[in-house]
Amino acid sequence: MDQEARQPLATEGNAADWFVDRHVRDGRGGSTAFRDADRSLTYAALQRESGRFASGLARAGIGRECRIALVLLDSVDFPVAFWGALRAGVVPVPINTLLPADQTGSILADCRAQLLVVSAPLLPALRPVIAGLPALRHVIVAGGAEGTQFAEFLGDGAGFERPVQAHADEVAFWLYSSGSTSTPKGVRHVHASLRATADTYAAQVLGIQPDDVVFSAAKLFFAYGLGNAMTFPMSVGASSVLLAQRPTPDAVLEVMRTHQPSIFAGVPTLFAGLLAHPATGPGAGSARLRRCISAGEALPRHIGETWSRVVGTDILDGIGSTEMLHIFLSNRPDDVQYGTSGLPVPGYEVRVVTESGTDAAEEEPGELLVRGPSAAEGYWNQRAKSRSTFVGEWTFTGDKYVRQPDGYYRYCGRTDDMFKVSGVWVSPFEVEAALVSHPAVLEAAVVGHPDGDGLTKPRAFIVLKQGWEASAALREELQAHVKERAGPWKYPRWIEALRELPKTATGKIQRFKLREITGG
Ligand code: 3UK
């Protein structure tokens, strides 16, 4: 084979070839890939700009397989930096922009990032930690007037017209797991996994099309957002709208009205917040809305049903994880069973396993295991955790599930959040779902708590909707409501109203904190 004929094969393993260059090769270079509040970027421009970012990395002396950190608000700079790094064989590590500075500092130290790309508004808080990082050699500021500017950093792209040769099994990027109970772990993902999630969930569940406009309220630093807002639209040459700000219901509705997305991705809390907003009606502001997806936490049935009625589009609830990169168990269009996570995504298999390691019977709770093409390579420098999570072809999720007689899988909580009342397993999620189906309750979190006899009983923390006040009468009403919906022994013996629930930066309720508060 001559050099010409071999070249395409050589770079095919690099995900940048398929997600970026393929579209230009096939005549879609003029299509819009990304839009933010200031700019838009076509596929041809993304190919060019990511090549320039790659040559900037080479000029800065960042070699292959070295890590660079991205602490970026969602904007078109994110895909330029991400694909620019992959193009150069450099490993980008997107970091949650909502973390406190000391935690970001720990992650920067843990991954030994040699270069940091940071959004200007986030830089001041990070300055003190940046000073103490021996591996960090360059700080590139995006969207501001300080330090090395993103635009100044870009080179001429020479040498990176094509992505560097990479193996499909080579580590392409890392993400840090949200760590609701422990410190974040660096999850290493390979080039092939990006395509795997697009070929399975995006193509076969979402049915994404070239003319789709996607808006993900979940940010790009989160695996859920990275797929929704970047790789899924890019898998078919579609476009994505990026929002830099916090996705409040007001900000989200504004994007919906302005950009008329056809696919919208959110988390349950946001769907609940949007439903509580007076402006939410048919299409939630977009006449083109055809699909809504939810992940991150289980979607309470009541929220799904209300959304379908008010907005006119179902919400597809699916469970994914940083370790599996995206959703592997999901509801499907025209086959939505609210209150469940649906069925395995084509290409993935799941098992529910009891504590003794055998497959659970129908309706018997056990830990969910998953096998599929996008599982991570492992955690960075955490051998013991890697070995207990990625066991052969199976990944342990840490989630309790039951398989219903109809084959649908129902979420019961994290393995460590479940508790027994009168010898019967209680899933905090089930009690929470019953609580939020009452008109007074916006959000709820339930933990097990010892009563006067030392027996564990459900204890609830709730956030009330505007216009409601905590009272003994309301408490009794809520207890009766749960008894009726979830079963008589499951009602919360204690209910406390809080202004907000303790949550991780990605919006997951930290039940362990509530257990600490109550000493339960
Ligand atoms: C929980 C859910 C019930 C579950 C994620 C979609 O959330 C994502 O990744 P994380 O690593 O967290 C994983 C854990 O979150 N979870 C997520 N979705 C659901 N529980 N129902 C759901 N629908 O405990 C899981 O183990 O932050 C979600 C795509 C990619 C992701 N990384």
Side-chain angles (χ1 to χ4, degrees), residues 426-495:
V426 172
S427 139
F429 175 67
E430 192 184 9
V431 182
E432 290 158 11
L435 283 164
V436 298
S437 71
H438 187 280
V441 183
L442 184 64
E443 288 188 282
V446 169
V447 298
H449 184 73
D451 66 10
D453 300 323
L455 300 169
T456 305
K457 296 283 165 1
R459 174 168 188 165
F461 297 86
I462 60 173
V463 178
L464 289 170
K465 284 187 191 158
Q466 250 178 9
W468 291 83
E469 270 190 46
S471 67
L474 180 59
R475 188 184 65 227
E476 277 164 31
E477 191 178 319
L478 290 173
Q479 288 174 326
H481 186 79
V482 175
K483 278 186 199 169
E484 192 190 309
R485 305 243 160 173
W489 70 96
K490 293 181 185 168
Y491 78 93
R493 311 306 198 264
W494 308 268
I495 303 181

Side-chain angles (χ1 to χ4, degrees), residues 175-180 187 201 222-228 232 267-268 294-299 316-331 340-341 368 396-401 411-415 429 504 506 508:
L175 291 169
Y176 274 78
S177 69
S178 53
S180 61
V187 179
Y201 177 77
F222 186 26
Y224 179 46
L226 192 80
N228 302 334
F232 294 173
V267 295
S294 175
E297 285 185 287
L299 179 77
L316 307 181
D317 182 15
I319 175 174
S321 70
T322 310
E323 286 77 358
M324 292 305 292
L325 191 57
H326 215 275
I327 293 171
F328 49 83
L329 183 59
S330 182
N331 283 277
T340 78
S341 307
L368 185 73
F396 282 67
T397 64
D399 294 304
K400 271 262 188 321
Y401 263 83
Y411 177 73
C412 302
R414 294 290 298 171
T415 46
F429 175 67
T504 65
T506 48
K508 292 188 212 300

Side-chain angles (χ1 to χ4, degrees), residues 15-40:
D17 180 72
W18 195 75
F19 282 97
V20 185
D21 294 27
R22 175 177 57 109
H23 297 300
V24 181
R25 242 182 349 253
D26 295 351
R28 290 184 292 273
S31 308
T32 299
F34 295 97
R35 220 180 271 288
D36 66 21
D38 305 317
R39 284 190 297 159
S40 69

